[in-house]
Amino acid sequence: MTLKSIPLTDDLHQYLVAHGAPPDEVISDLARETLALLPEHASMQVAPEQAAFLTFLTRLLGARQAVEVGTFTGLSSLAIARGLAEGGRLTCFDISEEYTSVARRYWARAGVDDRIDLRIGPAGDTLRELPHERYLDFAFIDADKTGYPVYWAELVPRMRSGGVIAVDNVLRNGRVVAPQSADDRAIAAFNEDVLADVRVDAVMLPIADGLTLAHVH
């Protein structure tokens, strides 16, 4: 089988971002502030091309009801909120008041704060507060890696038929093929669980650190 994927050099990555809905001033400022305030955690922020893809995908789905698990400083939630259909709502779950205080400022600046409901607390508990019917159009999981199976278990039954779950960091910088840490092993096991889950059809895309898209039956 001929391999078609190519590695992204820095120059090629810049070209890719510039030619696919490049970041506007709000996104650029948020990325810079996150790096300045939290340099040791800035890699937790989604890549710029990923943010553009989340807006595109949410808009393509016509999503009105969306959930995000793991908000950090708010780039992914801002991107999702921008793609929501008129009257749409995004419910965000995170444990940090500090990180999400940055998110709140940028949501307001982007004019999407009225579409977002932020809930602080362990998502394994707070997700259970969501309605127990199949009403979600879109969900994005990007939180603690060992918690992915719990978040998946809570979200899949709440997705409407045809809804999509996006899961970040499924390649772990390539380490899923030879796990080195508890998080690596957790993601490798989670990927196998998704592959075996008959409730969804899933594809894994090499965007940023790997993104799984699961279409719920």
Side-chain angles (χ1 to χ4, degrees), residues 127-146:
L127 278 170
R128 297 187 180 100
E129 299 171 1
L130 292 173
H132 288 273
E133 61 251 22
R134 302 186 66 180
Y135 75 104
L136 292 174
D137 302 303
F138 180 69
F140 181 53
I141 301 175
D142 184 18
D144 59 296
K145 308 314 167 193
T146 56

Side-chain angles (χ1 to χ4, degrees), residues 194-215:
V194 171
L195 188 63
D197 195 327
V198 297
R199 299 170 298 175
V200 305
D201 296 315
V203 294
M204 188 180 290
L205 305 177
I207 298 174
D209 191 29
L211 187 71
T212 286
L213 297 181
H215 177 267

